[in-house]
Amino acid sequence: MLVRAARRKAQSTPIRPLSLEQSYLPSLWSTHNRAALDRRRFITGDAGQQRPDIRIRRNSNDASNTPPRRSMATAMSHIPMDDIPFERFGAPGFNSRGNPLVQIDHDPIAMHNGTHVFASLTTSAQKVRNSADGVHGEIPEVLSVFHACLQVGRVERAGVILKRVLDSANASEEDVISLHTQYLRASAEQIILNPSQSGKDAIHRWFELEILKKGLPFNAEMMAYMLKASLQARDEKIGGNQKRLVKRYMSMVEGEAGLEVLGTGLLSGEELNRINHICPAYNLAGGFEISFDQKIEESQETTSKGRFKKTKLPGVKPTQQKGLGLKSLRKSLSIFSSLPAHGLSMADMNIEERREIQKQLEDDAVTSALERWREESVNLKKMGLDSSLQTKSLGARMWKWQQHMEQDLREEIARVEAAEKLDVGRRTPEDLERLIYGPFLRILPANKLSAVTILTVMAAFGSQGSDKGLYLGNTILSIAGAVEDESILEAVNETNRRAVWSKNSKDRIQIDNLKKLMKTRGPGSGARLMKAMKKSNYQSSAQHSKGEQSVVGNTPYITSGWPTSTKAKLGAFLMSSLIKVAKVPVTLQHSETQQMMTQLQPAISHSFSYRMGKKYGVVVANKALAEAMRREPVHSLLAKHLPMVVQPDKWTLFNKGGFIVHPSKLIRVKSGNTDQKYYAEAALGQGDLTDICKGLDVLGQTEWKINKGVFDVMLEAWNTGEAIGNIAPESPKLEVPREPDSSRDPLERRRWIRAVKTVENLRTGLHSQRCFQNFQLEIARALRDETFYFPHNMDFRGRAYPIPPYLNHMGADHCRGLLKFGVGKELGPNGLKWLKIQLANVFGFDKASLKEREQFADDNLSSIYDSATNALNGSRWWLEAEDPWQCLAACIELRNALESPDPSRFISHLPVHQDGTCNGLQHYAALGGDRWGAKQVNLEPGDRPADVYSAVADLVKESIKKDLAKNDPCAVHLDGKITRKTVKQTVMTNVYGVTFVGAKEQVKKQLVAAQVPLSGNMTYASLAAYIATKIFDALANMFRGAHDIQYWFGECANRITTCLTPEQISRLEAEFDKPVVKEPRQRAAASHRMEMATQFRSTVIWTTPLNMPVVQPYRQLKSKAVITTMQKISLSEPNRHLPVSKRKQLQGFPPNFVHSLDATHMLLSALKCDEQGLNFAAVHDSFWTHAADIEKMNLVLRDSFIKIHSEDVIGRLAAEFEARYRGCMYLAHVKKSSPAGKEILKWRRMNKKIRGHEVTVGDETNKLHKHHELVLERKRQRLLSSLNPDDVEEGKKIITPTAIFSQLSPAETDLVDDPDLKNLAIGEIPKRDRSSASAQEVESRDHSTEEGISASTLDVGSEAQELIADDDAEVAPESHENEISVFERSLKPQEDKRVADKVPVWLPLTFPAVPKKGDFDVSRLKDSQYFFS
């Protein structure tokens, strides 16, 4: 007996990650401790009881007794590929078995793990020429129009576009099937909602002509859509062909294939029954109920009966500022002030009630914007203020804009429809543009589209300042992104509302969850979230195993993000429409009659501005609109950036954790930096980031409170308007220099203008600082009686940061002084001592021994009591501290402890800090084993704390004394003037990659601040260069091992960023072996593919000790000009497929690696402290806990550091590089005068003819040498690795430049060092800078010239395009450019000695030997009490 509607969506077997040795693929996120996994990727499989029990009826006469003719392909053999898309090079298709029915997996994880042979059309650079349908441009742009047509039901036009794309593009089989599937789905839905015979015939015609006739395979999803469409045909009883169609399609998928079609979840129970009646070969067995949405039980509201009284707290004096931020913030915070008025207290609420408050804080009020505007307009109409000139309310004004814009959009849609009907020859350029953005205007109702546009623009004005101009490019992309998000919600909502798909269908999405996820991700996040749903096959399985509900529903709704150029065109039209209709009343005085008159003026205008010599389009608000926006906030902008009132959700997925309604991202990824996201998600799927997530959870669960004693003093100080501590003054007293007479020297006037600008910049900076502090005090005032939490996430290096940006413990001194732990702890026997040490540390007395610091507090007890009791009206001793507000907090806590009956029983909430000694140098000293350096950064035990800054200053002084004996003018001038402060900033930043030019500027600032007197022709610039040289030399001697490691880092990064992966070489090989084409268009396309195949795209990737993959994001950005209805816009869109920026990769690797180590140390310490029950907070290399637990935390800090550096960190990194980049080839350079260089040049002269071209010196086709040599070397390596002896012998006979180099220079002694490596290591100074810093060169130099020269030496460009040097050229003699002045050198044409003196050659990617480590034993750290103090 048949059971109706009894089935559930079949769960696919989760995708198994590939285990590849070459971990430059995103699928290999960690190269150690990884078991070998199956190389086959299973697409579907037996899901056990999750699958509906559908079986073939064996006793049916209609059942086939023969074996199935066609079966579902359930697995694909592994095909090695890379993560770089290229055009198709004639590789075989996916369906190697010839099965017409295939299951194509569109999972983006698989795509990003490099399991797709072909480039995805969504990122293809191919173009569609202008055609009869009017759609043209790059493939992603045309496909976005195709998807828009499908979404709005314009299926016929979508079909025309799809044919055009498939005829023009070189698409992979998978992309073709995917596009056909989407077209069939939309067609089936259309004939169900709007039945028509033409539509029914069209879908069957399409399947016959475009799929079956062209021999394309089809999948279960496509067949389900065809069955769904067939059931819409008329029954045979009334002249239809319904049964014939169903039987025909079911006959194509007999056996197991038919079972999979029926188990897709796309067919309702009624449709399954009808199919079974027509084709009784399948029996739908019982056992499953229809899934109904679970009802959400509303929790009963409880009202606390307890009321409390408190004195009225003074308000925070507002600072006049641009935009609506302050008013919006106060509106968001009003919930805290409204609770007591209703007799409620957060302290009396349970967890669920507090979570509801948190949700209310995170929710935004924008969804009710239209209703609010309409209500304001109605209220004004009741008051008799309906005239356009009388309207005062901004909300009512926006309602009128919305009405007018809605009408304008309807008129434009009519013009779009007219353009679509025009013949090709009669279309104007405006008509062609309408064909591109027109379909997107139909996606949303006109009223909603206009409201989204208005809200986006007004929000931009509100957040950036209404009297400031908005950059047009950013604004129109924000508008289009918001429209895209709203369109996705509209499509999902509409799909769920329609009775087309079953409730278990993959086309149904949980709309509420999707809305929550989209709210905080910024404009344009909707498409990314929808794509993220593709990954739910492994994520949801993990969730369901824990009994949790999947955020994204059952299966994904397939969609595609809109291309940037399409967004620009759509956003520009909507912006121009708003500019056209938006008017504001402006009252002016008539110039002749002097009467006041009111007229309507454009509320927004389009203009241009110049910045750094470039012309930018801007959108400017009318002054009347700006004034209105100051009076009325548009909506809450800042609620989602507040601290949380409940513990943050634990991190479980890349975008699930932290905030409740608006979860942020686990890793802060910049736009376009998708590599880090893919690696992190893959690591999450493997469980490698478990400890990372737990560490962030530990940081987020720390409870905080406002320190009321400090806040009351700060509020009083703020309201005075004075500069107290680091509080910016309300009215700074800055003197503007008097203007010189016009008859004076023109240079004098120029200096006056510069001085005036300096004063104004200082005034603006102080005002901005006070505005920001105003935000922080408002938040602190609202949270004064509450406990709260800071959810944390991290950057791409693993460094943790609190997500709320305004008030957190990583803020300035006043923020840290305002915060204390929410949970207190008794001081115990040693806590009072650490409170005193904390006070000495924040006062600035932190270089003394611990006993001396403790004694410092005892010696100043009277000042401490005075500060705590009478902070503003007493002696103000606390303001003399380095960190005055933290000092005041320590004074208050210490006074309270001393006044308690038993200080050891005093419950302290004050965080006590333990700071590292130049933490970056600590890691470098441990890595290099530098005994002397380790002693200077307190890795060695000692009776007193060592100070690396003082040590460097002493070395600089000693060097100056030696120069003084030689009567050096700089030494004579600086004798006795070098202090610790002079060198501190340069020492601190040297480890993080500061350049010599930057170091000179740092020292120069210190000399100017110290007012070092000048004499003769001596300048601050020349003195700064002299001192910076001494600092660099001191560091190089002190940290010799670290110096070598940094140079090794640079050499590794240099090779990685100039290498090609095996997959790239294979693509080049396939393209290179093709016959040379003569047709210009095909030749250009072939050249482009070859060019793409040889771009350097490999970025530096490593794994931290906590298994976090770190991917450096630095790539070359390319701009693209897009012509819109408003202006021509240049857009730079980051893309993971762009070439890497070699210079940034080299300069960023050493500091980023050290940052990843200190982040590991912090998270390891957080986990261990949590295990021992310690409260823990951190600011990178400053760790906080209760005073009673400091000694326990110090032991944890030392153990964690020892645990990291007891392993061979650099050796493990080298092994990871060898595994990750195995099989790559990099472009090295050989000395031209070396035996290997000469022999390579000789070989090239004998092999000039390549692919029919005679390669001559200086010829542009010279780059064919590199392509040809690479392909030839690949062939040689393949033959040498063969098991066939004949192949090996043939390989030995092949001569290549690589083979020549390996034979003549096996130790790589003839390689030329890259110039970019010269200034990477600690204390390394480029030769040019060292020469310019000599004592004899004391002439004043312009800093911009120095910086320009430095920049020119770093801008090396892409070496893949470097031409081979003249084979017969002489080796250039050494340059004597250092003998001329800097100015003369800047004017002299720069010769490219890279080309003249060296020969490029492809070599297998190997890495230099790891530098020898020093003899420092890191375990000695165990006894160092000043490691962190």
Side-chain angles (χ1 to χ4, degrees), residues 76 79-95 104 110-112 114-124 126 169-176 1067 1074 1089 1136-1137:
M76 293 183 185
I79 304 175
M81 327 164 192
D82 63 356
D83 60 332
I84 305 169
F86 297 101
E87 305 309 326
R88 179 173 192 165
F89 292 144
F94 279 92
N95 191 19
I104 299 295
M111 294 176 66
H112 301 319
T115 53
H116 285 209
V117 175
F118 305 101
S120 171
L121 285 180
T122 57
T123 58
S124 174
Q126 302 175 76
N170 193 8
S172 68
E173 187 173 88
E174 182 170 354
D175 277 332
V176 173
R1067 306 284 177 85
K1074 287 183 179 179
R1089 291 196 297 270
R1136 67 191 298 260
H1137 308 304

Short mmCIF file of all heavy atoms in Angstrom, two decimals, residues 76 79-95 104 110-112 114-124 126 169-176 1067 1074 1089 1136-1137:
data_model
loop_
_atom_site.label_atom_id
_atom_site.label_comp_id
_atom_site.label_asym_id
_atom_site.label_seq_id
_atom_site.Cartn_x
_atom_site.Cartn_y
_atom_site.Cartn_z
N MET A 76 33.91 10.72 -8.26
CA MET A 76 34.83 11.22 -9.28
C MET A 76 36.24 10.82 -8.89
O MET A 76 36.62 10.89 -7.73
CB MET A 76 34.77 12.75 -9.39
CG MET A 76 33.48 13.29 -9.93
SD MET A 76 33.63 15.07 -10.08
CE MET A 76 31.96 15.46 -10.57
N ILE A 79 41.47 14.41 -9.57
CA ILE A 79 42.22 15.07 -10.64
C ILE A 79 43.04 16.16 -9.99
O ILE A 79 42.49 17.06 -9.36
CB ILE A 79 41.27 15.69 -11.68
CG1 ILE A 79 40.34 14.61 -12.23
CG2 ILE A 79 42.06 16.34 -12.81
CD1 ILE A 79 39.29 15.14 -13.16
N PRO A 80 44.37 16.11 -10.08
CA PRO A 80 45.17 17.15 -9.43
C PRO A 80 45.01 18.49 -10.10
O PRO A 80 45.06 18.59 -11.31
CB PRO A 80 46.61 16.63 -9.58
CG PRO A 80 46.56 15.73 -10.76
CD PRO A 80 45.19 15.13 -10.79
N MET A 81 44.75 19.51 -9.34
CA MET A 81 44.56 20.85 -9.87
C MET A 81 45.03 21.85 -8.84
O MET A 81 45.40 21.49 -7.74
CB MET A 81 43.08 21.13 -10.16
CG MET A 81 42.37 19.91 -10.60
SD MET A 81 40.65 20.01 -10.56
CE MET A 81 40.36 18.27 -10.78
N ASP A 82 45.00 23.13 -9.22
CA ASP A 82 45.37 24.18 -8.29
C ASP A 82 44.19 25.09 -8.07
O ASP A 82 43.12 24.88 -8.60
CB ASP A 82 46.60 24.97 -8.79
CG ASP A 82 46.31 25.68 -10.09
OD1 ASP A 82 45.21 25.50 -10.62
OD2 ASP A 82 47.18 26.43 -10.55
N ASP A 83 44.39 26.07 -7.23
CA ASP A 83 43.30 26.98 -6.89
C ASP A 83 43.30 28.21 -7.77
O ASP A 83 42.71 29.22 -7.44
CB ASP A 83 43.43 27.42 -5.43
CG ASP A 83 44.73 28.13 -5.18
OD1 ASP A 83 45.71 27.87 -5.89
OD2 ASP A 83 44.74 28.96 -4.25
N ILE A 84 43.93 28.12 -8.94
CA ILE A 84 44.00 29.27 -9.83
C ILE A 84 43.22 28.96 -11.09
O ILE A 84 43.52 28.01 -11.79
CB ILE A 84 45.47 29.58 -10.18
CG1 ILE A 84 46.26 29.78 -8.89
CG2 ILE A 84 45.57 30.78 -11.08
CD1 ILE A 84 47.73 29.83 -9.10
N PRO A 85 42.18 29.73 -11.40
CA PRO A 85 41.37 29.41 -12.57
C PRO A 85 42.04 29.86 -13.85
O PRO A 85 42.54 30.94 -13.96
CB PRO A 85 40.08 30.20 -12.32
CG PRO A 85 40.52 31.36 -11.53
CD PRO A 85 41.67 30.89 -10.69
N PHE A 86 42.02 28.96 -14.84
CA PHE A 86 42.50 29.31 -16.16
C PHE A 86 41.47 28.85 -17.18
O PHE A 86 40.56 28.09 -16.88
CB PHE A 86 43.84 28.62 -16.46
CG PHE A 86 44.93 29.03 -15.56
CD1 PHE A 86 45.31 28.22 -14.51
CD2 PHE A 86 45.57 30.23 -15.73
CE1 PHE A 86 46.31 28.60 -13.66
CE2 PHE A 86 46.57 30.61 -14.89
CZ PHE A 86 46.95 29.79 -13.85
N GLU A 87 41.65 29.29 -18.38
CA GLU A 87 40.74 28.86 -19.42
C GLU A 87 41.06 27.42 -19.78
O GLU A 87 42.15 26.90 -19.58
CB GLU A 87 40.88 29.76 -20.66
CG GLU A 87 40.70 31.23 -20.34
CD GLU A 87 39.43 31.49 -19.57
OE1 GLU A 87 38.45 30.78 -19.80
OE2 GLU A 87 39.42 32.38 -18.73
N ARG A 88 40.11 26.80 -20.41
CA ARG A 88 40.22 25.39 -20.73
C ARG A 88 41.31 25.16 -21.78
O ARG A 88 41.36 25.83 -22.79
CB ARG A 88 38.86 24.95 -21.25
CG ARG A 88 38.76 23.51 -21.67
CD ARG A 88 37.32 23.21 -21.99
NE ARG A 88 37.12 21.79 -22.13
CZ ARG A 88 35.93 21.23 -22.13
NH1 ARG A 88 34.86 21.97 -21.99
NH2 ARG A 88 35.81 19.94 -22.26
N PHE A 89 42.20 24.19 -21.53
CA PHE A 89 43.30 23.91 -22.43
C PHE A 89 43.10 22.57 -23.13
O PHE A 89 44.01 21.80 -23.31
CB PHE A 89 44.63 23.88 -21.68
CG PHE A 89 45.04 25.20 -21.16
CD1 PHE A 89 45.70 25.31 -19.95
CD2 PHE A 89 44.76 26.35 -21.86
CE1 PHE A 89 46.09 26.55 -19.47
CE2 PHE A 89 45.16 27.59 -21.39
CZ PHE A 89 45.81 27.67 -20.20
N GLY A 90 41.86 22.26 -23.46
CA GLY A 90 41.61 21.02 -24.18
C GLY A 90 41.67 19.79 -23.30
O GLY A 90 41.86 18.69 -23.78
N ALA A 91 41.53 19.97 -22.02
CA ALA A 91 41.54 18.82 -21.12
C ALA A 91 40.25 18.06 -21.25
O ALA A 91 39.23 18.58 -21.65
CB ALA A 91 41.73 19.29 -19.68
N PRO A 92 40.24 16.77 -20.94
CA PRO A 92 39.02 15.99 -21.07
C PRO A 92 37.96 16.45 -20.11
O PRO A 92 38.25 17.02 -19.07
CB PRO A 92 39.49 14.56 -20.73
CG PRO A 92 40.71 14.74 -19.91
CD PRO A 92 41.37 15.98 -20.44
N GLY A 93 36.69 16.18 -20.44
CA GLY A 93 35.58 16.59 -19.58
C GLY A 93 35.48 15.74 -18.35
O GLY A 93 36.16 14.75 -18.16
N PHE A 94 34.54 16.10 -17.51
CA PHE A 94 34.37 15.40 -16.24
C PHE A 94 33.80 14.00 -16.46
O PHE A 94 34.15 13.06 -15.80
CB PHE A 94 33.41 16.18 -15.33
CG PHE A 94 34.05 17.29 -14.61
CD1 PHE A 94 34.05 18.57 -15.15
CD2 PHE A 94 34.68 17.09 -13.41
CE1 PHE A 94 34.65 19.61 -14.49
CE2 PHE A 94 35.27 18.12 -12.74
CZ PHE A 94 35.26 19.38 -13.29
N ASN A 95 32.86 13.89 -17.38
CA ASN A 95 32.08 12.66 -17.50
C ASN A 95 32.83 11.63 -18.31
O ASN A 95 32.48 11.32 -19.44
CB ASN A 95 30.71 12.99 -18.13
CG ASN A 95 29.78 11.82 -18.03
OD1 ASN A 95 29.99 10.92 -17.23
ND2 ASN A 95 28.75 11.83 -18.86
N ILE A 104 26.37 16.57 -10.19
CA ILE A 104 27.39 17.61 -10.16
C ILE A 104 27.31 18.31 -8.82
O ILE A 104 26.27 18.84 -8.45
CB ILE A 104 27.19 18.61 -11.31
CG1 ILE A 104 27.31 17.88 -12.64
CG2 ILE A 104 28.21 19.73 -11.21
CD1 ILE A 104 28.68 17.31 -12.90
N ALA A 110 34.60 22.45 -2.40
CA ALA A 110 35.31 21.67 -3.39
C ALA A 110 35.98 22.57 -4.42
O ALA A 110 37.09 22.34 -4.85
CB ALA A 110 34.34 20.71 -4.08
N MET A 111 35.27 23.63 -4.80
CA MET A 111 35.84 24.56 -5.77
C MET A 111 37.10 25.21 -5.23
O MET A 111 38.12 25.30 -5.90
CB MET A 111 34.82 25.62 -6.14
CG MET A 111 33.62 25.09 -6.87
SD MET A 111 32.40 26.37 -7.17
CE MET A 111 33.30 27.42 -8.29
N HIS A 112 37.05 25.64 -3.98
CA HIS A 112 38.18 26.37 -3.42
C HIS A 112 39.31 25.43 -3.02
O HIS A 112 40.42 25.86 -2.82
CB HIS A 112 37.73 27.20 -2.22
CG HIS A 112 36.67 28.18 -2.57
ND1 HIS A 112 36.69 28.90 -3.74
CD2 HIS A 112 35.54 28.55 -1.93
CE1 HIS A 112 35.62 29.68 -3.78
NE2 HIS A 112 34.93 29.49 -2.69
N GLY A 114 40.46 23.36 -4.95
CA GLY A 114 41.20 23.04 -6.14
C GLY A 114 40.74 21.81 -6.86
O GLY A 114 41.49 21.19 -7.60
N THR A 115 39.50 21.37 -6.71
CA THR A 115 39.04 20.16 -7.36
C THR A 115 38.28 20.42 -8.64
O THR A 115 37.62 19.55 -9.14
CB THR A 115 38.15 19.37 -6.39
OG1 THR A 115 37.12 20.22 -5.91
CG2 THR A 115 38.96 18.87 -5.22
N HIS A 116 38.36 21.60 -9.17
CA HIS A 116 37.73 21.90 -10.45
C HIS A 116 38.81 22.18 -11.47
O HIS A 116 39.68 23.01 -11.27
CB HIS A 116 36.81 23.12 -10.32
CG HIS A 116 35.53 22.79 -9.63
ND1 HIS A 116 34.37 23.45 -9.87
CD2 HIS A 116 35.23 21.86 -8.70
CE1 HIS A 116 33.41 22.96 -9.12
NE2 HIS A 116 33.92 22.00 -8.38
N VAL A 117 38.72 21.50 -12.61
CA VAL A 117 39.73 21.67 -13.64
C VAL A 117 39.61 23.03 -14.31
O VAL A 117 40.60 23.68 -14.60
CB VAL A 117 39.59 20.56 -14.71
CG1 VAL A 117 40.56 20.79 -15.84
CG2 VAL A 117 39.83 19.21 -14.08
N PHE A 118 38.41 23.50 -14.54
CA PHE A 118 38.19 24.70 -15.34
C PHE A 118 37.94 25.91 -14.47
O PHE A 118 37.52 25.81 -13.32
CB PHE A 118 37.00 24.49 -16.28
CG PHE A 118 37.15 23.28 -17.15
CD1 PHE A 118 36.49 22.11 -16.84
CD2 PHE A 118 37.97 23.31 -18.26
CE1 PHE A 118 36.64 20.99 -17.62
CE2 PHE A 118 38.11 22.20 -19.05
CZ PHE A 118 37.45 21.03 -18.74
N ALA A 119 38.14 27.06 -15.06
CA ALA A 119 37.82 28.30 -14.37
C ALA A 119 36.32 28.44 -14.25
O ALA A 119 35.58 28.14 -15.18
CB ALA A 119 38.39 29.49 -15.14
N SER A 120 35.85 28.90 -13.12
CA SER A 120 34.43 29.17 -12.96
C SER A 120 34.05 30.37 -13.81
O SER A 120 34.78 31.35 -13.91
CB SER A 120 34.12 29.43 -11.49
OG SER A 120 32.81 29.89 -11.33
N LEU A 121 32.89 30.28 -14.44
CA LEU A 121 32.45 31.39 -15.29
C LEU A 121 32.21 32.65 -14.46
O LEU A 121 32.27 33.76 -14.99
CB LEU A 121 31.16 31.01 -16.02
CG LEU A 121 31.32 30.04 -17.20
CD1 LEU A 121 29.98 29.74 -17.82
CD2 LEU A 121 32.27 30.59 -18.25
N THR A 122 31.93 32.50 -13.17
CA THR A 122 31.66 33.67 -12.34
C THR A 122 32.89 34.53 -12.13
O THR A 122 32.78 35.66 -11.69
CB THR A 122 31.10 33.24 -10.98
OG1 THR A 122 32.04 32.36 -10.35
CG2 THR A 122 29.77 32.54 -11.14
N THR A 123 34.09 33.99 -12.43
CA THR A 123 35.31 34.78 -12.31
C THR A 123 36.06 34.87 -13.62
O THR A 123 37.19 35.35 -13.66
CB THR A 123 36.24 34.16 -11.25
OG1 THR A 123 36.54 32.81 -11.62
CG2 THR A 123 35.58 34.18 -9.88
N SER A 124 35.42 34.42 -14.70
CA SER A 124 36.11 34.39 -15.99
C SER A 124 36.27 35.80 -16.56
O SER A 124 35.44 36.68 -16.36
CB SER A 124 35.30 33.53 -16.98
OG SER A 124 35.86 33.60 -18.27
N GLN A 126 36.49 36.16 -19.84
CA GLN A 126 35.98 36.09 -21.21
C GLN A 126 34.85 37.11 -21.40
O GLN A 126 34.18 37.49 -20.45
CB GLN A 126 35.47 34.69 -21.52
CG GLN A 126 36.51 33.60 -21.33
CD GLN A 126 35.92 32.22 -21.53
OE1 GLN A 126 35.66 31.80 -22.64
NE2 GLN A 126 35.70 31.52 -20.43
N ALA A 169 31.41 31.58 -24.59
CA ALA A 169 32.38 31.28 -23.53
C ALA A 169 32.96 29.88 -23.68
O ALA A 169 32.31 28.97 -24.19
CB ALA A 169 31.72 31.42 -22.16
N ASN A 170 34.17 29.74 -23.22
CA ASN A 170 34.81 28.44 -23.14
C ASN A 170 34.54 27.88 -21.75
O ASN A 170 35.35 28.01 -20.85
CB ASN A 170 36.31 28.60 -23.40
CG ASN A 170 36.99 27.26 -23.64
OD1 ASN A 170 36.33 26.24 -23.76
ND2 ASN A 170 38.31 27.28 -23.68
N ALA A 171 33.35 27.30 -21.58
CA ALA A 171 32.88 26.94 -20.24
C ALA A 171 33.15 25.47 -19.95
O ALA A 171 33.20 24.63 -20.85
CB ALA A 171 31.38 27.21 -20.13
N SER A 172 33.34 25.18 -18.68
CA SER A 172 33.50 23.80 -18.26
C SER A 172 32.14 23.10 -18.30
O SER A 172 31.08 23.73 -18.26
CB SER A 172 34.06 23.75 -16.83
OG SER A 172 33.10 24.22 -15.91
N GLU A 173 32.21 21.80 -18.37
CA GLU A 173 30.97 21.01 -18.42
C GLU A 173 30.14 21.22 -17.16
O GLU A 173 28.91 21.29 -17.21
CB GLU A 173 31.33 19.53 -18.58
CG GLU A 173 30.14 18.62 -18.82
CD GLU A 173 30.58 17.21 -19.13
OE1 GLU A 173 30.77 16.44 -18.17
OE2 GLU A 173 30.75 16.89 -20.31
N GLU A 174 30.81 21.37 -16.05
CA GLU A 174 30.09 21.57 -14.79
C GLU A 174 29.33 22.88 -14.78
O GLU A 174 28.20 22.96 -14.32
CB GLU A 174 31.08 21.52 -13.64
CG GLU A 174 30.41 21.67 -12.28
CD GLU A 174 31.37 21.39 -11.15
OE1 GLU A 174 32.51 20.97 -11.42
OE2 GLU A 174 30.97 21.60 -10.00
N ASP A 175 29.98 23.95 -15.28
CA ASP A 175 29.30 25.24 -15.35
C ASP A 175 28.10 25.18 -16.28
O ASP A 175 27.05 25.77 -16.01
CB ASP A 175 30.27 26.32 -15.84
CG ASP A 175 31.12 26.87 -14.71
OD1 ASP A 175 30.64 26.85 -13.56
OD2 ASP A 175 32.24 27.32 -14.97
N VAL A 176 28.25 24.48 -17.39
CA VAL A 176 27.14 24.37 -18.36
C VAL A 176 25.96 23.68 -17.70
O VAL A 176 24.81 24.14 -17.81
CB VAL A 176 27.60 23.60 -19.61
CG1 VAL A 176 26.43 23.32 -20.52
CG2 VAL A 176 28.68 24.39 -20.35
N ARG A 1067 49.25 23.64 -17.18
CA ARG A 1067 48.41 24.46 -18.05
C ARG A 1067 49.25 25.12 -19.15
O ARG A 1067 48.85 25.19 -20.30
CB ARG A 1067 47.71 25.53 -17.23
CG ARG A 1067 46.92 25.00 -16.04
CD ARG A 1067 45.61 24.36 -16.48
NE ARG A 1067 44.92 23.80 -15.33
CZ ARG A 1067 44.12 24.47 -14.52
NH1 ARG A 1067 43.93 25.76 -14.72
NH2 ARG A 1067 43.51 23.87 -13.52
N LYS A 1074 50.01 23.53 -28.28
CA LYS A 1074 48.99 23.74 -29.29
C LYS A 1074 49.62 24.38 -30.53
O LYS A 1074 50.61 25.11 -30.43
CB LYS A 1074 47.89 24.66 -28.77
CG LYS A 1074 46.98 24.01 -27.75
CD LYS A 1074 45.88 24.99 -27.34
CE LYS A 1074 44.95 24.35 -26.34
NZ LYS A 1074 43.88 25.29 -25.91
N ARG A 1089 45.96 33.59 -22.23
CA ARG A 1089 45.96 32.39 -21.40
C ARG A 1089 47.38 32.03 -20.96
O ARG A 1089 47.60 31.63 -19.82
CB ARG A 1089 45.33 31.22 -22.16
CG ARG A 1089 43.84 31.37 -22.38
CD ARG A 1089 43.21 30.05 -22.77
NE ARG A 1089 43.72 29.55 -24.04
CZ ARG A 1089 43.19 29.83 -25.23
NH1 ARG A 1089 42.12 30.61 -25.31
NH2 ARG A 1089 43.70 29.32 -26.32
N ARG A 1136 41.61 36.92 -5.34
CA ARG A 1136 42.61 35.94 -4.96
C ARG A 1136 43.37 35.40 -6.17
O ARG A 1136 44.37 34.69 -6.02
CB ARG A 1136 41.94 34.77 -4.22
CG ARG A 1136 41.00 33.96 -5.07
CD ARG A 1136 40.18 33.02 -4.20
NE ARG A 1136 41.00 32.07 -3.49
CZ ARG A 1136 41.17 30.81 -3.90
NH1 ARG A 1136 40.59 30.39 -5.00
NH2 ARG A 1136 41.90 29.99 -3.21
N HIS A 1137 42.92 35.70 -7.37
CA HIS A 1137 43.59 35.21 -8.56
C HIS A 1137 44.54 36.24 -9.16
O HIS A 1137 45.10 36.01 -10.22
CB HIS A 1137 42.56 34.79 -9.60
CG HIS A 1137 41.53 33.85 -9.06
ND1 HIS A 1137 41.87 32.66 -8.48
CD2 HIS A 1137 40.17 33.92 -9.00
CE1 HIS A 1137 40.76 32.03 -8.09
NE2 HIS A 1137 39.73 32.78 -8.38
#
